[in-house]
């Protein structure tokens, strides 16, 4: 059930001015038509809501009386709706992209994008160094430092990452060396204490054996 089918069904009530199909009912602004035929095209499946707008108010009264005439048939002998294999073939044929049409749309988009970038750069260059009403001067990226080529910027980012990685490795090595030194000092203290305890025990044994009285 597409817009064309709904417009044909309700045309018996009067001249149909427009048909809007929405995902769910509710007040809202009319959606803009998609600017691209190939990109950002979402197909909604399942039940939807349609708003039929007649050119004259009499069409509304006639539409309300349609329920007494029985169900409205979307597919008829004169206006058949494709189903099954025929629908799949038509859907596949519609999915095939025309390369020339796609190229024309992409070129038009890139021209608009380049024009927008040029206008922004021209505006930034015009406002550079000019104080506003309160005396503030807007510092732009263009005024501080000219943009670097993409390859040079990528090289600088890579060098910065390597520098951070080297500094982190040196810090970890320092912590490891400090841990080894602390452990070595602890072992040396244990050995010294062991020697002192051994000498004290030997002295106590000697004093216990020597009894002048």
């Amino acid at each position: 059930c597409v817009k064309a089918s709904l417009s044909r069904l309700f045309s018996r009530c009067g001249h149909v001015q427009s048909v809007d199909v929405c995902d769910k009912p509710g007040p809202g602004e009319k959606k803009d038509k998609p600017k691209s035929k190939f990109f950002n095209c979402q197909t909604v499946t399942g039940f939807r809501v349609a708003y039929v707008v007649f050119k004259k108010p009499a069409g509304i009264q006639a539409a309300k009386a349609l329920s007494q005439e029985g169900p409205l048939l979307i597919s008829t002998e004169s206006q058949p709706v494709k189903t099954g294999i025929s629908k799949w073939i038509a859907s596949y044929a519609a999915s095939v992209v025309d390369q020339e049409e796609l190229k024309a749309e992409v070129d038009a988009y890139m021209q608009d994008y380049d024009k927008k970038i040029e206008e922004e750069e021209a505006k930034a260059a015009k406002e550079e160094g000019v104080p506003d009403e309160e005396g503030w001067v807007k510092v732009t990226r263009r005024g501080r430092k000219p943009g670097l080529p993409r390859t040079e910027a990528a090289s600088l980012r890579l060098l910065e990452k390597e520098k951070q990685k080297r500094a982190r490795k040196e810090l970890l090595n320092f912590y490891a060396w400090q841990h080894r030194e602390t452990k070595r000092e602890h072992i040396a203290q244990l050995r010294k204490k062991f020697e002192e305890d051994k000498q004290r025990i030997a002295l106590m044994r000697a004093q216990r054996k020597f009894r002048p009285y």
Side-chain angles (χ1 to χ4, degrees):
C1 184
V2 294
K3 293 183 179 181
S5 300
L6 292 174
S7 179
R8 177 176 55 82
L9 289 176
F10 286 96
S11 61
R12 68 182 69 180
C13 303
H15 181 73
V16 177
Q17 184 174 349
S18 64
V19 176
D20 295 331
V21 180
C22 303
D23 299 339
K24 55 184 179 180
E29 297 180 357
K30 185 178 179 180
K31 296 182 179 179
D32 297 334
K33 294 183 179 180
K35 298 180 180 179
S36 175
K37 180 181 177 181
F38 305 99
F39 304 101
N40 299 326
C41 298
Q42 298 180 354
T43 302
V44 180
T45 58
F47 292 98
R48 288 179 291 175
V49 179
Y51 293 92
V52 180
V53 181
F54 293 95
K55 188 175 182 180
K56 296 182 179 180
I60 301 177
Q61 301 300 328
K64 292 180 179 180
L66 286 177
S67 59
Q68 302 175 2
E69 299 180 5
L72 302 179
L73 300 179
I74 297 176
S75 181
T76 59
E77 294 182 359
S78 59
Q79 297 288 339
V81 175
K82 293 182 180 180
T83 57
I85 297 178
S86 301
K87 181 181 178 182
W88 297 341
I89 294 175
S91 299
Y92 175 77
S95 65
V96 178
V97 178
D98 187 355
Q99 296 183 359
E100 295 296 332
E101 190 176 356
L102 176 61
K103 182 177 182 300
E105 182 175 332
V106 172
D107 292 342
Y109 176 82
M110 292 305 301
Q111 289 179 1
D112 294 340
Y113 177 78
D114 293 340
K115 183 179 179 181
K116 181 180 178 181
I117 294 299
E118 291 178 359
E119 292 177 354
E120 291 179 355
E121 291 180 352
K123 183 179 179 181
K126 184 178 180 181
E127 295 178 354
E128 182 179 351
V130 179
D132 56 8
E133 297 178 356
E134 299 180 357
W136 293 94
V137 178
K138 183 178 179 181
V139 180
T140 61
R141 184 178 180 181
R142 178 186 179 91
R144 289 200 312 267
K145 185 178 180 181
L148 297 175
R150 183 174 300 179
T151 54
E152 186 176 353
S155 300
L156 290 177
R157 287 195 298 269
L158 183 61
L159 291 175
E160 185 66 22
K161 288 183 179 179
E162 291 293 334
K163 185 178 179 181
Q164 295 177 0
K165 185 177 179 181
R166 194 181 305 111
R168 192 182 304 109
K169 186 176 180 181
E170 292 176 356
L171 185 61
L172 292 176
N173 292 337
F174 173 76
Y175 287 152
W177 173 82
Q178 190 178 23
H179 180 70
R180 287 195 299 268
E181 289 296 324
T182 304
K183 190 174 182 180
R184 189 179 293 110
E185 292 178 359
H186 181 65
I187 294 175
Q189 291 178 1
L190 291 177
R191 288 178 178 174
K192 183 179 180 180
K193 188 175 183 301
F194 176 75
E195 293 295 335
E196 292 177 353
D197 293 341
K198 188 167 65 173
Q199 293 178 5
R200 189 181 302 107
I201 292 172
L203 181 60
M204 291 174 63
R205 287 178 179 176
Q207 290 178 352
R208 193 178 299 116
K209 291 179 181 179
F210 179 71
R211 296 180 180 180
Y213 302 103

PDB file of all heavy atoms in Angstrom, residues 15-44:
ATOM      1  N   HIS A  15     -10.949  15.302  -5.170  1.00  0.00           N
ATOM      2  CA  HIS A  15      -9.572  15.513  -5.610  1.00  0.00           C
ATOM      3  C   HIS A  15      -8.614  15.409  -4.417  1.00  0.00           C
ATOM      4  O   HIS A  15      -8.748  16.137  -3.436  1.00  0.00           O
ATOM      5  CB  HIS A  15      -9.434  16.872  -6.278  1.00  0.00           C
ATOM      6  CG  HIS A  15      -8.037  17.149  -6.768  1.00  0.00           C
ATOM      7  ND1 HIS A  15      -7.509  16.522  -7.876  1.00  0.00           N
ATOM      8  CD2 HIS A  15      -7.077  17.976  -6.293  1.00  0.00           C
ATOM      9  CE1 HIS A  15      -6.289  16.949  -8.068  1.00  0.00           C
ATOM     10  NE2 HIS A  15      -5.996  17.835  -7.118  1.00  0.00           N
ATOM     11  N   VAL A  16      -7.664  14.464  -4.490  1.00  0.00           N
ATOM     12  CA  VAL A  16      -6.688  14.270  -3.419  1.00  0.00           C
ATOM     13  C   VAL A  16      -5.516  15.210  -3.648  1.00  0.00           C
ATOM     14  O   VAL A  16      -4.846  15.154  -4.694  1.00  0.00           O
ATOM     15  CB  VAL A  16      -6.210  12.802  -3.369  1.00  0.00           C
ATOM     16  CG1 VAL A  16      -5.139  12.640  -2.295  1.00  0.00           C
ATOM     17  CG2 VAL A  16      -7.374  11.868  -3.104  1.00  0.00           C
ATOM     18  N   GLN A  17      -5.270  16.065  -2.666  1.00  0.00           N
ATOM     19  CA  GLN A  17      -4.190  17.046  -2.793  1.00  0.00           C
ATOM     20  C   GLN A  17      -2.832  16.431  -2.465  1.00  0.00           C
ATOM     21  O   GLN A  17      -1.846  16.662  -3.170  1.00  0.00           O
ATOM     22  CB  GLN A  17      -4.462  18.237  -1.867  1.00  0.00           C
ATOM     23  CG  GLN A  17      -3.436  19.360  -2.009  1.00  0.00           C
ATOM     24  CD  GLN A  17      -3.819  20.570  -1.185  1.00  0.00           C
ATOM     25  OE1 GLN A  17      -4.935  20.655  -0.670  1.00  0.00           O
ATOM     26  NE2 GLN A  17      -2.904  21.506  -1.052  1.00  0.00           N
ATOM     27  N   SER A  18      -2.764  15.645  -1.387  1.00  0.00           N
ATOM     28  CA  SER A  18      -1.496  15.016  -1.009  1.00  0.00           C
ATOM     29  C   SER A  18      -1.778  13.829  -0.107  1.00  0.00           C
ATOM     30  O   SER A  18      -2.848  13.719   0.499  1.00  0.00           O
ATOM     31  CB  SER A  18      -0.581  16.011  -0.285  1.00  0.00           C
ATOM     32  OG  SER A  18      -1.163  16.422   0.944  1.00  0.00           O
ATOM     33  N   VAL A  19      -0.793  12.924  -0.035  1.00  0.00           N
ATOM     34  CA  VAL A  19      -0.836  11.764   0.850  1.00  0.00           C
ATOM     35  C   VAL A  19       0.499  11.681   1.574  1.00  0.00           C
ATOM     36  O   VAL A  19       1.551  11.599   0.931  1.00  0.00           O
ATOM     37  CB  VAL A  19      -1.109  10.459   0.063  1.00  0.00           C
ATOM     38  CG1 VAL A  19      -1.059   9.262   1.011  1.00  0.00           C
ATOM     39  CG2 VAL A  19      -2.439  10.527  -0.654  1.00  0.00           C
ATOM     40  N   ASP A  20       0.454  11.712   2.908  1.00  0.00           N
ATOM     41  CA  ASP A  20       1.662  11.624   3.732  1.00  0.00           C
ATOM     42  C   ASP A  20       1.619  10.326   4.522  1.00  0.00           C
ATOM     43  O   ASP A  20       0.627  10.040   5.201  1.00  0.00           O
ATOM     44  CB  ASP A  20       1.766  12.810   4.703  1.00  0.00           C
ATOM     45  CG  ASP A  20       1.944  14.126   3.955  1.00  0.00           C
ATOM     46  OD1 ASP A  20       2.516  14.084   2.847  1.00  0.00           O
ATOM     47  OD2 ASP A  20       1.495  15.169   4.465  1.00  0.00           O
ATOM     48  N   VAL A  21       2.690   9.555   4.436  1.00  0.00           N
ATOM     49  CA  VAL A  21       2.798   8.285   5.152  1.00  0.00           C
ATOM     50  C   VAL A  21       3.788   8.457   6.294  1.00  0.00           C
ATOM     51  O   VAL A  21       4.927   8.894   6.079  1.00  0.00           O
ATOM     52  CB  VAL A  21       3.231   7.147   4.212  1.00  0.00           C
ATOM     53  CG1 VAL A  21       3.337   5.834   4.978  1.00  0.00           C
ATOM     54  CG2 VAL A  21       2.252   7.003   3.057  1.00  0.00           C
ATOM     55  N   CYS A  22       3.372   8.120   7.536  1.00  0.00           N
ATOM     56  CA  CYS A  22       4.206   8.271   8.730  1.00  0.00           C
ATOM     57  C   CYS A  22       4.363   6.922   9.419  1.00  0.00           C
ATOM     58  O   CYS A  22       3.576   5.997   9.211  1.00  0.00           O
ATOM     59  CB  CYS A  22       3.590   9.278   9.701  1.00  0.00           C
ATOM     60  SG  CYS A  22       3.315  10.910   8.982  1.00  0.00           S
ATOM     61  N   ASP A  23       5.391   6.830  10.263  1.00  0.00           N
ATOM     62  CA  ASP A  23       5.640   5.586  10.985  1.00  0.00           C
ATOM     63  C   ASP A  23       4.613   5.358  12.087  1.00  0.00           C
ATOM     64  O   ASP A  23       4.281   4.215  12.407  1.00  0.00           O
ATOM     65  CB  ASP A  23       7.048   5.592  11.587  1.00  0.00           C
ATOM     66  CG  ASP A  23       8.113   5.719  10.510  1.00  0.00           C
ATOM     67  OD1 ASP A  23       7.805   5.404   9.353  1.00  0.00           O
ATOM     68  OD2 ASP A  23       9.251   6.124  10.839  1.00  0.00           O
ATOM     69  N   LYS A  24       4.139   6.421  12.717  1.00  0.00           N
ATOM     70  CA  LYS A  24       3.162   6.295  13.799  1.00  0.00           C
ATOM     71  C   LYS A  24       2.276   7.531  13.817  1.00  0.00           C
ATOM     72  O   LYS A  24       2.674   8.601  13.351  1.00  0.00           O
ATOM     73  CB  LYS A  24       3.866   6.131  15.150  1.00  0.00           C
ATOM     74  CG  LYS A  24       4.846   7.233  15.467  1.00  0.00           C
ATOM     75  CD  LYS A  24       5.580   6.946  16.776  1.00  0.00           C
ATOM     76  CE  LYS A  24       6.586   8.038  17.089  1.00  0.00           C
ATOM     77  NZ  LYS A  24       7.296   7.771  18.359  1.00  0.00           N
ATOM     78  N   PRO A  25       1.083   7.424  14.369  1.00  0.00           N
ATOM     79  CA  PRO A  25       0.175   8.584  14.397  1.00  0.00           C
ATOM     80  C   PRO A  25       0.614   9.618  15.410  1.00  0.00           C
ATOM     81  O   PRO A  25       1.320   9.322  16.380  1.00  0.00           O
ATOM     82  CB  PRO A  25      -1.165   7.963  14.796  1.00  0.00           C
ATOM     83  CG  PRO A  25      -0.796   6.744  15.557  1.00  0.00           C
ATOM     84  CD  PRO A  25       0.462   6.222  14.937  1.00  0.00           C
ATOM     85  N   GLY A  26       0.215  10.862  15.181  1.00  0.00           N
ATOM     86  CA  GLY A  26       0.539  11.937  16.101  1.00  0.00           C
ATOM     87  C   GLY A  26       0.802  13.225  15.360  1.00  0.00           C
ATOM     88  O   GLY A  26       1.134  13.222  14.165  1.00  0.00           O
ATOM     89  N   PRO A  27       0.649  14.345  16.073  1.00  0.00           N
ATOM     90  CA  PRO A  27       0.932  15.642  15.428  1.00  0.00           C
ATOM     91  C   PRO A  27       2.419  15.796  15.160  1.00  0.00           C
ATOM     92  O   PRO A  27       3.267  15.328  15.911  1.00  0.00           O
ATOM     93  CB  PRO A  27       0.435  16.660  16.459  1.00  0.00           C
ATOM     94  CG  PRO A  27       0.555  15.945  17.765  1.00  0.00           C
ATOM     95  CD  PRO A  27       0.272  14.494  17.487  1.00  0.00           C
ATOM     96  N   GLY A  28       2.725  16.432  14.109  1.00  0.00           N
ATOM     97  CA  GLY A  28       4.126  16.654  13.771  1.00  0.00           C
ATOM     98  C   GLY A  28       4.242  17.402  12.480  1.00  0.00           C
ATOM     99  O   GLY A  28       3.315  17.471  11.680  1.00  0.00           O
ATOM    100  N   GLU A  29       5.421  17.960  12.285  1.00  0.00           N
ATOM    101  CA  GLU A  29       5.667  18.702  11.064  1.00  0.00           C
ATOM    102  C   GLU A  29       5.874  17.742   9.900  1.00  0.00           C
ATOM    103  O   GLU A  29       6.327  16.612  10.070  1.00  0.00           O
ATOM    104  CB  GLU A  29       6.902  19.594  11.234  1.00  0.00           C
ATOM    105  CG  GLU A  29       6.736  20.659  12.317  1.00  0.00           C
ATOM    106  CD  GLU A  29       7.992  21.513  12.435  1.00  0.00           C
ATOM    107  OE1 GLU A  29       8.956  21.217  11.722  1.00  0.00           O
ATOM    108  OE2 GLU A  29       7.977  22.447  13.237  1.00  0.00           O
ATOM    109  N   LYS A  30       5.538  18.228   8.767  1.00  0.00           N
ATOM    110  CA  LYS A  30       5.696  17.413   7.572  1.00  0.00           C
ATOM    111  C   LYS A  30       7.169  17.213   7.284  1.00  0.00           C
ATOM    112  O   LYS A  30       7.963  18.154   7.291  1.00  0.00           O
ATOM    113  CB  LYS A  30       5.020  18.101   6.378  1.00  0.00           C
ATOM    114  CG  LYS A  30       5.023  17.279   5.106  1.00  0.00           C
ATOM    115  CD  LYS A  30       4.289  17.998   3.997  1.00  0.00           C
ATOM    116  CE  LYS A  30       4.313  17.197   2.710  1.00  0.00           C
ATOM    117  NZ  LYS A  30       3.605  17.887   1.608  1.00  0.00           N
ATOM    118  N   LYS A  31       7.529  15.957   7.058  1.00  0.00           N
ATOM    119  CA  LYS A  31       8.925  15.641   6.812  1.00  0.00           C
ATOM    120  C   LYS A  31       9.335  16.117   5.424  1.00  0.00           C
ATOM    121  O   LYS A  31       8.557  16.058   4.464  1.00  0.00           O
ATOM    122  CB  LYS A  31       9.158  14.134   6.935  1.00  0.00           C
ATOM    123  CG  LYS A  31       8.908  13.593   8.326  1.00  0.00           C
ATOM    124  CD  LYS A  31       9.211  12.103   8.370  1.00  0.00           C
ATOM    125  CE  LYS A  31       8.988  11.547   9.762  1.00  0.00           C
ATOM    126  NZ  LYS A  31       9.265  10.085   9.821  1.00  0.00           N
ATOM    127  N   ASP A  32      10.577  16.577   5.358  1.00  0.00           N
ATOM    128  CA  ASP A  32      11.112  16.985   4.058  1.00  0.00           C
ATOM    129  C   ASP A  32      11.378  15.753   3.204  1.00  0.00           C
ATOM    130  O   ASP A  32      11.721  14.678   3.704  1.00  0.00           O
ATOM    131  CB  ASP A  32      12.407  17.786   4.251  1.00  0.00           C
ATOM    132  CG  ASP A  32      12.154  19.082   5.011  1.00  0.00           C
ATOM    133  OD1 ASP A  32      11.019  19.578   4.934  1.00  0.00           O
ATOM    134  OD2 ASP A  32      13.090  19.561   5.669  1.00  0.00           O
ATOM    135  N   LYS A  33      11.224  15.941   1.935  1.00  0.00           N
ATOM    136  CA  LYS A  33      11.508  14.843   1.027  1.00  0.00           C
ATOM    137  C   LYS A  33      12.998  14.541   1.030  1.00  0.00           C
ATOM    138  O   LYS A  33      13.829  15.449   1.156  1.00  0.00           O
ATOM    139  CB  LYS A  33      11.055  15.213  -0.391  1.00  0.00           C
ATOM    140  CG  LYS A  33       9.550  15.375  -0.527  1.00  0.00           C
ATOM    141  CD  LYS A  33       9.180  15.675  -1.966  1.00  0.00           C
ATOM    142  CE  LYS A  33       7.667  15.819  -2.116  1.00  0.00           C
ATOM    143  NZ  LYS A  33       7.288  16.116  -3.523  1.00  0.00           N
ATOM    144  N   PRO A  34      13.379  13.263   0.924  1.00  0.00           N
ATOM    145  CA  PRO A  34      14.811  12.929   0.922  1.00  0.00           C
ATOM    146  C   PRO A  34      15.523  13.589  -0.251  1.00  0.00           C
ATOM    147  O   PRO A  34      15.044  13.573  -1.384  1.00  0.00           O
ATOM    148  CB  PRO A  34      14.809  11.391   0.799  1.00  0.00           C
ATOM    149  CG  PRO A  34      13.467  11.035   0.256  1.00  0.00           C
ATOM    150  CD  PRO A  34      12.521  12.072   0.768  1.00  0.00           C
ATOM    151  N   LYS A  35      16.668  14.204   0.051  1.00  0.00           N
ATOM    152  CA  LYS A  35      17.416  14.904  -0.986  1.00  0.00           C
ATOM    153  C   LYS A  35      18.151  13.944  -1.901  1.00  0.00           C
ATOM    154  O   LYS A  35      18.463  14.300  -3.033  1.00  0.00           O
ATOM    155  CB  LYS A  35      18.416  15.862  -0.324  1.00  0.00           C
ATOM    156  CG  LYS A  35      17.755  16.944   0.529  1.00  0.00           C
ATOM    157  CD  LYS A  35      18.791  17.846   1.145  1.00  0.00           C
ATOM    158  CE  LYS A  35      18.138  18.927   2.007  1.00  0.00           C
ATOM    159  NZ  LYS A  35      19.147  19.820   2.636  1.00  0.00           N
ATOM    160  N   SER A  36      18.476  12.760  -1.402  1.00  0.00           N
ATOM    161  CA  SER A  36      19.240  11.807  -2.183  1.00  0.00           C
ATOM    162  C   SER A  36      18.390  10.603  -2.541  1.00  0.00           C
ATOM    163  O   SER A  36      17.551  10.149  -1.750  1.00  0.00           O
ATOM    164  CB  SER A  36      20.482  11.354  -1.402  1.00  0.00           C
ATOM    165  OG  SER A  36      21.172  10.342  -2.103  1.00  0.00           O
ATOM    166  N   LYS A  37      18.603  10.094  -3.712  1.00  0.00           N
ATOM    167  CA  LYS A  37      17.898   8.911  -4.165  1.00  0.00           C
ATOM    168  C   LYS A  37      18.651   7.651  -3.797  1.00  0.00           C
ATOM    169  O   LYS A  37      18.068   6.561  -3.745  1.00  0.00           O
ATOM    170  CB  LYS A  37      17.725   8.988  -5.692  1.00  0.00           C
ATOM    171  CG  LYS A  37      16.993   7.807  -6.301  1.00  0.00           C
ATOM    172  CD  LYS A  37      16.896   7.954  -7.813  1.00  0.00           C
ATOM    173  CE  LYS A  37      16.231   6.735  -8.443  1.00  0.00           C
ATOM    174  NZ  LYS A  37      16.149   6.845  -9.918  1.00  0.00           N
ATOM    175  N   PHE A  38      19.952   7.787  -3.521  1.00  0.00           N
ATOM    176  CA  PHE A  38      20.799   6.620  -3.285  1.00  0.00           C
ATOM    177  C   PHE A  38      21.272   6.489  -1.841  1.00  0.00           C
ATOM    178  O   PHE A  38      21.608   5.392  -1.409  1.00  0.00           O
ATOM    179  CB  PHE A  38      22.034   6.682  -4.195  1.00  0.00           C
ATOM    180  CG  PHE A  38      21.701   6.831  -5.647  1.00  0.00           C
ATOM    181  CD1 PHE A  38      21.756   8.069  -6.267  1.00  0.00           C
ATOM    182  CD2 PHE A  38      21.313   5.743  -6.404  1.00  0.00           C
ATOM    183  CE1 PHE A  38      21.453   8.214  -7.609  1.00  0.00           C
ATOM    184  CE2 PHE A  38      21.004   5.871  -7.742  1.00  0.00           C
ATOM    185  CZ  PHE A  38      21.068   7.112  -8.351  1.00  0.00           C
ATOM    186  N   PHE A  39      21.321   7.600  -1.086  1.00  0.00           N
ATOM    187  CA  PHE A  39      21.877   7.572   0.258  1.00  0.00           C
ATOM    188  C   PHE A  39      20.794   7.917   1.282  1.00  0.00           C
ATOM    189  O   PHE A  39      19.876   8.687   1.003  1.00  0.00           O
ATOM    190  CB  PHE A  39      23.043   8.562   0.388  1.00  0.00           C
ATOM    191  CG  PHE A  39      24.131   8.319  -0.617  1.00  0.00           C
ATOM    192  CD1 PHE A  39      24.219   9.110  -1.764  1.00  0.00           C
ATOM    193  CD2 PHE A  39      25.050   7.306  -0.445  1.00  0.00           C
ATOM    194  CE1 PHE A  39      25.209   8.900  -2.691  1.00  0.00           C
ATOM    195  CE2 PHE A  39      26.044   7.083  -1.377  1.00  0.00           C
ATOM    196  CZ  PHE A  39      26.126   7.880  -2.506  1.00  0.00           C
ATOM    197  N   ASN A  40      20.957   7.352   2.479  1.00  0.00           N
ATOM    198  CA  ASN A  40      20.063   7.613   3.612  1.00  0.00           C
ATOM    199  C   ASN A  40      18.602   7.309   3.260  1.00  0.00           C
ATOM    200  O   ASN A  40      17.691   8.039   3.639  1.00  0.00           O
ATOM    201  CB  ASN A  40      20.177   9.073   4.077  1.00  0.00           C
ATOM    202  CG  ASN A  40      21.579   9.402   4.539  1.00  0.00           C
ATOM    203  OD1 ASN A  40      22.266   8.547   5.093  1.00  0.00           O
ATOM    204  ND2 ASN A  40      21.995  10.631   4.315  1.00  0.00           N
ATOM    205  N   CYS A  41      18.407   6.226   2.537  1.00  0.00           N
ATOM    206  CA  CYS A  41      17.046   5.802   2.177  1.00  0.00           C
ATOM    207  C   CYS A  41      16.664   4.613   3.061  1.00  0.00           C
ATOM    208  O   CYS A  41      17.202   3.511   2.886  1.00  0.00           O
ATOM    209  CB  CYS A  41      16.975   5.414   0.694  1.00  0.00           C
ATOM    210  SG  CYS A  41      17.352   6.784  -0.426  1.00  0.00           S
ATOM    211  N   GLN A  42      15.786   4.837   3.997  1.00  0.00           N
ATOM    212  CA  GLN A  42      15.358   3.798   4.921  1.00  0.00           C
ATOM    213  C   GLN A  42      13.985   3.278   4.517  1.00  0.00           C
ATOM    214  O   GLN A  42      13.050   4.054   4.316  1.00  0.00           O
ATOM    215  CB  GLN A  42      15.312   4.332   6.352  1.00  0.00           C
ATOM    216  CG  GLN A  42      16.671   4.789   6.872  1.00  0.00           C
ATOM    217  CD  GLN A  42      16.582   5.315   8.286  1.00  0.00           C
ATOM    218  OE1 GLN A  42      15.498   5.442   8.848  1.00  0.00           O
ATOM    219  NE2 GLN A  42      17.719   5.633   8.871  1.00  0.00           N
ATOM    220  N   THR A  43      13.879   1.963   4.412  1.00  0.00           N
ATOM    221  CA  THR A  43      12.616   1.330   4.069  1.00  0.00           C
ATOM    222  C   THR A  43      11.934   0.882   5.353  1.00  0.00           C
ATOM    223  O   THR A  43      12.482   0.076   6.110  1.00  0.00           O
ATOM    224  CB  THR A  43      12.847   0.124   3.149  1.00  0.00           C
ATOM    225  OG1 THR A  43      13.539   0.560   1.970  1.00  0.00           O
ATOM    226  CG2 THR A  43      11.524  -0.510   2.750  1.00  0.00           C
ATOM    227  N   VAL A  44      10.748   1.394   5.598  1.00  0.00           N
ATOM    228  CA  VAL A  44      10.000   1.059   6.807  1.00  0.00           C
ATOM    229  C   VAL A  44       9.071  -0.096   6.500  1.00  0.00           C
ATOM    230  O   VAL A  44       8.324  -0.068   5.527  1.00  0.00           O
ATOM    231  CB  VAL A  44       9.196   2.284   7.309  1.00  0.00           C
ATOM    232  CG1 VAL A  44       8.427   1.920   8.581  1.00  0.00           C
ATOM    233  CG2 VAL A  44      10.121   3.459   7.552  1.00  0.00           C
TER     234      VAL A  44
END
